[in-house]
Amino acid sequence: MRSALIALVLPFALAACATSPSAPAGVTAGMEANEAAAITAMLEAQDEAWNRGDIPAFMDGYWKSPDLRFASGGNIARGWDATLQRYETRYDTPAKMGTLVTSDYEIDILSPDAAIAHGRWMLEVEGDNPSGLYTLVLRKIEGDWVIVSDTTTSAD
């Protein structure tokens, strides 16, 4: 009887272990929560900078490197300077900047120094509210999480 019970229960126990989510190698559950909170704080700081019209402070969330990749609207900007120039050209007045609202953060910590963040964005501007999705690849460089690749899509 005991053998039959073990034979019945064992496959379910093994399946439960096989499908249980686990933290990536080198990342504890507590570390995962802390790093996700740090990334969320950085994203919220970007929103705040945008909403006060400070594009250079908004850019603090990006990797200050010629290897930064920003893709949007079918175009790719390479490098921090090119990305800054793109933002300053496209959003050259407070009216064009509007108010940035981001939401639905999904942050996946891949390792102690790599993560992916997904979310929604919306700009509240007079007469229009463009919106869409983004996928960010982040790296922890010199103790700070920074965006190394940004793919932003429009829902319009």
Side-chain angles (χ1 to χ4, degrees), residues 1-14:
M1 180 69 164
R2 182 177 163 172
S3 296
L5 184 59
I6 291 173
L8 182 64
V9 173
L10 186 58
F12 293 108
L14 291 174

Side-chain angles (χ1 to χ4, degrees), residues 42-120:
M42 182 272 293
L43 296 172
E44 290 172 345
Q46 279 192 299
D47 289 359
E48 292 168 9
W50 185 273
N51 292 335
R52 65 176 183 269
D54 190 346
I55 292 174
F58 173 82
M59 288 293 297
D60 286 345
Y62 287 93
W63 185 29
K64 196 164 188 175
S65 166
D67 294 324
L68 169 67
R69 182 181 188 276
F70 181 90
S72 180
N75 298 304
I76 298 173
R78 296 200 182 271
W80 190 90
D81 291 327
T83 302
L84 172 64
Q85 181 180 16
R86 179 197 174 281
Y87 276 122
E88 289 180 334
T89 300
R90 184 168 176 145
Y91 302 101
D92 59 346
T93 68
K96 288 181 185 176
M97 288 183 75
T99 300
L100 176 63
V101 178
T102 59
S103 62
D104 298 343
Y105 300 130
E106 296 177 33
I107 298 171
D108 297 316
I109 305 300
L110 304 175
S111 72
D113 68 346
I116 295 177
H118 303 278
R120 294 185 178 279

Side-chain angles (χ1 to χ4, degrees), residues 104-144:
D104 298 343
Y105 300 130
E106 296 177 33
I107 298 171
D108 297 316
I109 305 300
L110 304 175
S111 72
D113 68 346
I116 295 177
H118 303 278
R120 294 185 178 279
W121 63 271
M122 182 180 69
L123 276 181
E124 295 174 347
V125 295
E126 188 174 326
D128 195 13
N129 287 335
S131 64
L133 304 171
Y134 63 80
T135 299
L136 309 173
V137 178
L138 299 111
R139 298 298 307 256
K140 193 170 191 179
I141 299 174
E142 297 178 9
D144 293 318

